[in-house]
């Protein structure tokens, strides 16, 4: 059963200072609430959004994975997704073609939301898939005393070189469109969006997914029809400036840099070695941690996820044996994967 529709809510942040400098003027967070907050405020689960996801795309998790009878689930839209402050609705514009926001800002804004609206300083769990997992990692590194548990599904604490190639290809696809003038789009980048959707469809779903003809089982006569009818509409609905903004946040994803452990200046515990810096950052985590990878996820491979999990004290690591690729971590119509994720959450929160 899908959750009952939740009322869209807006948390006004005022003029919000960005970690990299500058300000989001009259900023806000869009959020939804499912379930009831306990009297002692001990059952709040923060559920940050993934790339391009609006609440109605991912709120199915409430029920199959996050039980609203047990948890008060706060689903919050990340900056840039078109529902919270984004280039399309609030500015600032893409400066030099890029947006000056990163996950430090998402965490800071979410912290204020929990404290000022819910009077919760320490959420019971932060659950995230993909870019949501990135935000969960940032919470655990930047707010180690406030973060009790994190469940990071198909996401990494630092964007890998291979993943960056994927992101750069998406950015190039959009900005190669003739409507891009170097700073903004002067029309709908239809050609760029089509290439964008093709790239996404080739990475998000796995080779075994296509090998067994899963796209045909979903009712599409060809891969071309699958991209045109299932993938392109998902991105065409977004303002393309928002798509670029979220890509920029994803590319900048690095908990070591966010924590001030920088490879460029040699400061901090890692002394200029990126691998040592990541280890130092993840070593700050005090939260009980579950890291869950998809067997055929091309963005965040099991090897990459497991290597990070090994740097986190006491982290539990497991793999979703699924051919859904990256979407194994968002298995709306896959009950086997849903049950595994629910079991992982239940185990993580057993005490």
């Amino acid at each position: 059963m899908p959750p009952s529709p939740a009322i869209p809510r807006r948390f006004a942040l005022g003029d919000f200072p960005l970690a990299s400098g500058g300000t989001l003027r009259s900023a806000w967070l869009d959020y939804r609430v499912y379930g009831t907050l306990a009297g002692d405020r001990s059952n709040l689960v923060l559920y940050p959004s993934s790339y391009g996801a609006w609440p109605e795309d991912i709120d199915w998790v409430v029920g199959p994975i996050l039980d609203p009878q047990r948890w008060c689930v706060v689903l919050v839209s990340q900056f840039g997704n078109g529902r919270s402050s984004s280039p399309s609705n609030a500015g600032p514009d893409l400066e030099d073609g890029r947006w000056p926001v990163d996950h430090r800002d998402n965490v800071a804004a979410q912290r204020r939301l929990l404290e000022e609206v819910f009077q919760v300083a320490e959420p019971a769990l932060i659950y995230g898939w993909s870019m949501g997992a990135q935000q969960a990692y940032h919470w655990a590194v930047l707010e180690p005393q406030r973060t009790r548990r994190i469940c990071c599904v198909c996401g990494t604490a630092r964007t890998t070189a291979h993943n960056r190639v994927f992101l750069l290809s998406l950015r190039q696809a959009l900005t190669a469109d003739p409507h891009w003038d170097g700073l903004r789009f002067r029309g709908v980048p239809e050609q760029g969006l089509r290439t964008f959707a093709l790239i996404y469809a080739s990475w998000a779903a796995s080779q075994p997914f296509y090998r067994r003809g899963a796209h045909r089982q979903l009712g599409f006569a060809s891969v071309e029809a699958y991209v045109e009818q299932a993938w392109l509409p998902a991105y065409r609905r977004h303002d393309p400036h928002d798509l670029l903004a979220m890509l920029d946040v994803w590319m900048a994803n690095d908990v070591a840099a966010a924590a001030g452990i920088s490879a460029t200046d040699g400061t901090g515990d890692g002394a200029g070695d990126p691998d040592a810096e990541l280890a130092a950052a993840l070593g700050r985590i005090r939260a009980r941690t579950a890291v869950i990878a998809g067997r055929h996820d091309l963005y965040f491979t099991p090897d990459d996820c497991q290597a990070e999990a090994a740097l986190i004290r006491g982290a539990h690591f497991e793999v979703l044996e699924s051919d859904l690729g990256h979407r194994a971590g968002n298995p709306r119509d896959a009950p086997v994967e849903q049950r595994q994720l629910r079991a992982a959450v239940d185990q993580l929160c057993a005490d």
Side-chain angles (χ1 to χ4, degrees):
M1 288 287 292
S4 299
I7 298 170
R9 307 187 190 194
R10 177 178 287 195
F11 174 57
L13 292 155
D15 290 345
F16 183 78
L18 298 174
S20 62
T23 302
L24 277 182
R25 299 295 179 188
S26 302
W28 73 87
L29 289 180
D30 171 271
Y31 70 102
R32 309 287 192 276
V33 181
Y34 307 86
T36 302
L37 187 63
D40 63 2
R41 291 174 162 72
S42 64
N43 69 330
L44 188 146
V45 174
L46 178 64
Y47 179 21
S49 68
S50 47
Y51 183 87
W54 289 338
E56 58 268 30
D57 302 324
I58 56 176
D59 66 0
W60 70 268
V61 166
V62 180
I65 298 172
L66 301 174
D67 182 1
Q69 299 302 311
R70 179 181 182 185
W71 305 113
C72 174
V73 181
V74 179
L75 195 170
V76 60
S77 293
Q78 65 172 310
F79 285 137
N81 82 334
R83 295 291 176 83
S84 292
S85 292
S86 305
S88 64
N89 58 35
D93 292 334
L94 301 176
E95 298 176 1
D96 298 323
R98 295 185 179 274
W99 207 44
V101 173
D102 61 48
H103 281 318
R104 294 173 295 175
D105 304 309
N106 281 315
V107 170
Q110 292 161 14
R111 184 181 65 242
R112 281 188 52 189
L113 169 68
L114 298 191
E115 291 179 344
E116 296 177 28
V117 175
F118 299 93
Q119 290 76 56
V120 170
E122 300 178 13
L125 169 68
I126 303 171
Y127 177 95
W129 167 64
S130 194
M131 282 189 81
Q134 295 171 4
Q135 292 167 75
Y137 276 124
H138 275 72
W139 261 90
V141 170
L142 299 177
E143 299 285 352
Q145 304 306 320
R146 296 173 183 261
T147 308
R148 296 167 58 192
R149 304 177 187 88
I150 58 173
C151 186
C152 300
V153 183
C154 296
T156 54
R158 180 175 66 185
T159 296
T160 65
H162 184 244
N163 192 206
R164 186 175 178 83
V165 170
F166 162 69
L167 301 172
L168 289 170
S169 70
L170 290 173
R171 212 177 196 289
Q172 178 68 20
L174 280 182
T175 58
D177 189 278
H179 288 98
W180 174 253
D181 70 2
L183 292 175
R184 59 188 56 84
F185 292 99
R186 298 297 183 178
V188 178
E190 186 63 29
Q191 177 180 321
L193 286 167
R194 287 181 178 279
T195 308
F196 189 100
L198 277 166
I199 295 169
Y200 237 108
S202 68
W203 278 71
S206 72
Q207 295 95 335
F209 175 91
Y210 288 109
R211 188 180 304 123
R212 70 175 169 89
H215 57 291
R216 291 192 297 271
Q217 295 167 19
L218 292 171
F220 301 100
S222 64
V223 292
E224 291 85 353
Y226 182 46
V227 172
E228 179 74 20
Q229 299 169 38
W231 287 92
L232 182 56
Y235 302 112
R236 186 185 275 152
R237 66 181 183 165
H238 285 278
D239 185 296
H241 301 92
D242 294 348
L243 294 175
L244 290 181
M246 288 181 285
L247 285 180
D248 291 342
V249 175
W250 187 340
M251 279 194 282
N253 169 54
D254 184 343
V255 293
I261 306 172
S262 172
T264 60
D265 61 15
T267 62
D269 300 328
D273 178 344
D275 292 336
E277 290 167 1
L278 181 62
L282 295 179
R284 298 183 181 187
I285 294 177
R286 298 294 177 265
R288 291 188 61 178
T289 301
V291 176
I292 305 173
R295 175 60 67 195
H296 296 285
D297 188 343
L298 301 179
Y299 305 164
F300 309 107
T301 68
D303 286 348
D304 290 331
C305 293
Q306 187 173 22
E308 290 188 346
L311 300 174
I312 301 171
R313 187 179 297 106
H316 168 76
F317 173 75
E318 64 182 275
V319 175
L320 291 162
E321 297 293 346
S322 170
D323 71 359
L324 294 178
H326 182 55
R327 285 187 167 181
N330 186 43
R332 177 188 287 269
D333 300 310
V336 172
E337 288 86 344
Q338 290 178 16
R339 287 193 293 271
Q340 184 174 345
L341 290 169
R342 174 63 174 267
V345 168
D346 288 347
Q347 178 182 347
L348 183 64
C349 301
D351 63 350

